[in-house]
């Protein structure tokens, strides 16, 4: 039996050790990539689950999270777990009377101080007797943190187009005026709320006051569109003739 060359044995061992190190390094790299992939997938799943919960809550509440027409929808929040935080929202140091005047004349000036929110899923589903609100980009309400005093709730500027929008605001405000839609809002007194989770979730403290003013021009347009839709439906069903 031929005796193995010691030098050859040493070289073989070195080769095996090098291969093991390479495999170990490759395994660690692969494991790190997998962990990052799982974290990204987990964040995406959490984001989708939150969006799905919102959609289900909207359907259960009759679309209470529909924003008023004429407003630009805010961008959706970034996926969680990606290290992206929303810009801080400063508190507002302004007398309520001046805040109302600003809201009625140039509400865009208040937007940097506002957090859009809507009724929570718990409130819409009847799980709680309290009126809860939570941050939602397309919310019908603005929550404003004041330097002194409770948080204030303002209806998001814009005209009312749907009854569901009115039903959502009725939880937060006493509303006077005609129920005919479309209509414009006039703020008399903001609602007040207490923060449950700072800048994220609130409970209603006191209802505010609004008045609703019908918009004849928009009502005429809306009625015209409704008539046209009705005529089109009759034609499609073969039950009517062009008028």
């Amino acid at each position: 039996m031929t005796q193995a060359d010691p030098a050859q044995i040493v070289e073989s061992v070195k080769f095996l050790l090098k291969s093991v190190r390479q495999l170990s390094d490759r395994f660690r790299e692969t494991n790190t990539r997998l962990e990052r992939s799982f974290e990204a997938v987990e964040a995406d799943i959490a984001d989708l689950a939150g969006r799905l919960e919102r959609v289900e809550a909207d359907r259960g509440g009759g679309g209470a999270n529909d924003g008023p027409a004429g407003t630009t929808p805010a961008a959706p929040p970034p996926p969680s777990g990606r290290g992206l935080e929303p810009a801080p929202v400063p508190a507002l140091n302004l007398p309520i009377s001046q805040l109302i005047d600003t809201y009625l004349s140039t509400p865009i000036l208040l937007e940097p101080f506002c957090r859009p929110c809507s009724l929570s899923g718990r409130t819409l589903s009847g799980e709680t007797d309290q009126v809860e609100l939570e941050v939602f980009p397309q919310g019908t309400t603005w929550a404003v943190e004041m330097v002194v005093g409770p948080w204030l709730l303002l209806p998001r500027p814009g005209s009312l187009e749907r009854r569901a929008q009115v039903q959502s605001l009725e939880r937060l405000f006493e509303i006077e005026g005609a129920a005919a839609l479309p209509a414009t809002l006039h703020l008399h007194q903001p609602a007040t709320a207490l923060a449950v989770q700072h800048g994220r979730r609130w409970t209603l403290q006191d209802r505010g006051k609004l008045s609703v003013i019908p918009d004849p021009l928009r009502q005429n347009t809306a009625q015209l569109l409704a008539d046209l839709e009705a005529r089109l439906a009759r034609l499609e069903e073969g039950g009517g003739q062009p008028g």
Side-chain angles (χ1 to χ4, degrees), residues 210-232:
L210 299 174
S211 60
V212 177
I213 304 173
D215 188 337
L217 179 61
R218 294 184 63 87
Q219 285 181 2
N220 291 340
T221 303
Q223 186 61 48
L224 176 61
L225 291 175
D227 292 342
L228 290 175
E229 289 177 354
R231 289 177 59 192
L232 179 60

Side-chain angles (χ1 to χ4, degrees), residues 30-223:
T30 302
N31 189 54
T32 300
R33 287 197 299 268
L34 286 174
E35 287 178 349
R36 291 174 180 171
S37 297
F38 283 131
E39 289 175 356
V41 171
E42 184 179 7
D44 289 338
I45 291 175
D47 182 54
L48 289 172
R51 291 165 59 187
L52 178 60
E53 182 180 357
R54 280 291 186 183
V55 171
E56 292 175 345
D58 289 352
R59 291 180 176 177
N65 282 329
D66 290 338
T71 60
T72 301
S80 57
R82 300 299 180 84
L84 298 176
E85 296 295 333
V89 180
L92 188 60
N93 187 13
L94 201 66
I96 293 181
S97 59
Q98 191 172 345
L99 179 145
I100 294 175
D101 290 341
T102 304
Y103 174 87
L104 295 175
S105 59
T106 50
I108 192 172
L109 296 179
L110 297 176
E111 192 164 4
F113 301 91
C114 300
R115 293 173 170 86
C117 58
S118 277
L119 298 176
S120 70
R122 281 164 39 89
T123 295
L124 294 173
S125 64
E127 294 181 30
T128 176
D129 293 333
Q130 291 182 320
V131 179
E132 295 181 342
L133 300 102
E134 56 189 6
V135 165
F136 186 63
Q138 284 76 42
T140 57
T141 307
W142 276 354
V144 183
E145 180 183 10
M146 305 300 291
V147 172
V148 178
W151 287 72
L152 299 183
L153 302 176
L154 312 172
R156 195 167 188 165
S159 63
L160 294 177
E161 300 284 345
R162 302 179 183 89
R163 180 60 191 167
Q165 294 171 302
V166 179
Q167 291 173 341
S168 178
L169 290 174
E170 283 175 340
R171 301 280 195 102
L172 308 173
F173 299 91
E174 297 176 8
I175 302 179
E176 301 176 353
L181 299 176
T184 57
L185 289 172
H186 187 84
L187 176 66
H188 298 285
Q189 183 69 35
T192 59
L194 299 176
V196 176
Q197 181 183 359
H198 184 82
R200 302 291 303 174
R201 187 182 292 269
W202 304 266
T203 57
L204 179 66
Q205 185 179 32
D206 291 307
R207 295 171 71 193
K209 294 183 179 180
L210 299 174
S211 60
V212 177
I213 304 173
D215 188 337
L217 179 61
R218 294 184 63 87
Q219 285 181 2
N220 291 340
T221 303
Q223 186 61 48

